[in-house]
Amino acid sequence: MSDVETTIRTRRDAGSGALIAYLPIGFPTLEESIQAAIAVVNNGVDILELGLPYSDPVMDGVAIQKATQTALQNGFRVRDAFTAVERVRAAVDAPVLVMTYWNPVVQYGVDRFAADLKSAGGAGLITPDLIPDEASDWMAASEAHDLDRVFLAAPSSSDARMRQAVEASRGFVYAVSTMGITGARADVDAAARGVVARLRDAGCTSTCVGLGISTAEQVRDVLSYADGAIVGSRLVAALSEGGVDSVARVAADLASGTR
């Protein structure tokens, strides 16, 4: 098993599930984004999902869009992602996935990106706009460099797409809790349970739910039927409003939902 799979299984065997945190690289600055990532792990986060800023973030909500645009305006470059991963991994013992739209990987070079990510200590990629039947280059590179590949499944996914995501993914399958973009919501869409159930029927052994999770209560609810809960916008908002200390406090509160 990969480090991500091992972490999820360990948390599941302990009677809970994994808390996964999304934070964008380079926001508010590269240094602060690194310190924020370290802080959330030190406050109960099990797996990190570091976002690579991109100029056309079609899946991201307002909070994350603003953060990634700030990072780009401040001069973010793809190579900064590897710096961030390497420094975070040197400070904390938690798997680090990079979440990225596919175009930056293609422009950088798929095999080169995979090699540099592995060298930095990264665990793999979450690719929200890449579907398995268009991912042959990434499948080959991830196999060559022993990296996880996390594909998405949504309420609208057909049974065939569900099976395809399960068969192609390594680490976990990212179950999108609702149709739409990221952002904290008062209620995580009930469709999340349906997506997870359908993934289980398709043979999935590791499913994590994202989009709309913002409270410890929602984390606890999601972990009652899924293997992991992914929180992004709430953490990004906390970092924006109160810096590293604020995001650390929010992470600790969210982590209380895993106990």
Side-chain angles (χ1 to χ4, degrees):
M1 291 190 297
S2 69
D3 287 346
V4 169
E5 290 171 303
T6 299
T7 299
I8 291 171
R9 176 170 290 188
T10 298
R11 296 294 289 130
R12 188 173 59 213
D13 290 348
S16 180
L19 177 60
I20 303 171
Y22 168 92
L23 288 169
I25 302 164
F27 175 78
T29 65
L30 180 59
E31 180 62 30
E32 286 173 289
S33 69
I34 292 168
Q35 294 307 314
I38 294 168
V40 297
V41 173
N42 286 335
N43 282 276
V45 164
D46 300 298
I47 297 169
L48 283 166
E49 178 184 321
L50 298 184
L52 197 151
Y54 182 53
S55 58
D56 188 24
V58 294
M59 184 180 161
D60 297 330
V62 174
I64 293 175
Q65 282 193 31
K66 286 183 177 179
T68 55
Q69 290 305 308
T70 296
L72 290 170
Q73 289 166 7
N74 288 343
F76 171 85
R77 296 292 181 267
V78 172
R79 62 179 176 271
D80 294 334
F82 309 118
T83 298
V85 171
E86 185 171 29
R87 288 190 54 196
V88 170
R89 288 289 292 144
V92 293
D93 186 21
V96 180
L97 294 160
V98 170
M99 185 170 193
T100 179
Y101 294 95
W102 190 236
N103 188 59
V105 180
V106 172
Q107 295 302 316
Y108 191 86
V110 178
D111 192 73
R112 178 188 172 207
F113 193 105
D116 287 354
L117 179 60
K118 183 67 175 182
S119 179
L125 292 183
I126 301 171
T127 49
D129 63 341
L130 182 69
I131 57 177
D133 45 353
E134 295 178 359
S136 58
D137 289 347
W138 169 230
M139 299 287 281
S142 61
E143 287 293 331
H145 298 283
D146 193 29
L147 292 168
D148 284 349
R149 46 184 181 265
V150 178
F151 292 101
L152 277 63
S156 60
S157 298
S158 67
D159 289 345
R161 286 289 184 195
M162 291 278 185
R163 289 191 299 271
Q164 196 175 41
V166 171
E167 291 167 2
S169 291
R170 175 183 150 173
F172 62 89
V173 177
Y174 191 126
V176 178
S177 69
T178 186
M179 301 303 294
I181 59 175
T182 61
R185 292 175 173 82
D187 296 301
V188 175
D189 198 319
R193 289 180 182 268
V195 175
V196 172
R198 292 176 63 205
L199 286 169
R200 301 281 195 221
D201 289 343
C204 187
T205 58
S206 186
T207 305
C208 300
V209 172
L211 271 70
I213 303 170
S214 61
T215 68
E217 291 73 21
Q218 289 173 337
V219 169
R220 188 175 296 109
D221 180 58
V222 166
L223 294 182
S224 71
Y225 61 87
D227 303 299
I230 304 167
V231 182
S233 294
R234 172 86 189 282
L235 292 167
V236 175
L239 180 59
S240 177
E241 294 163 5
V244 173
D245 289 343
S246 177
V247 80
R249 287 193 297 271
V250 170
D253 177 64
L254 291 164
S256 70
T258 68
R259 297 191 286 272

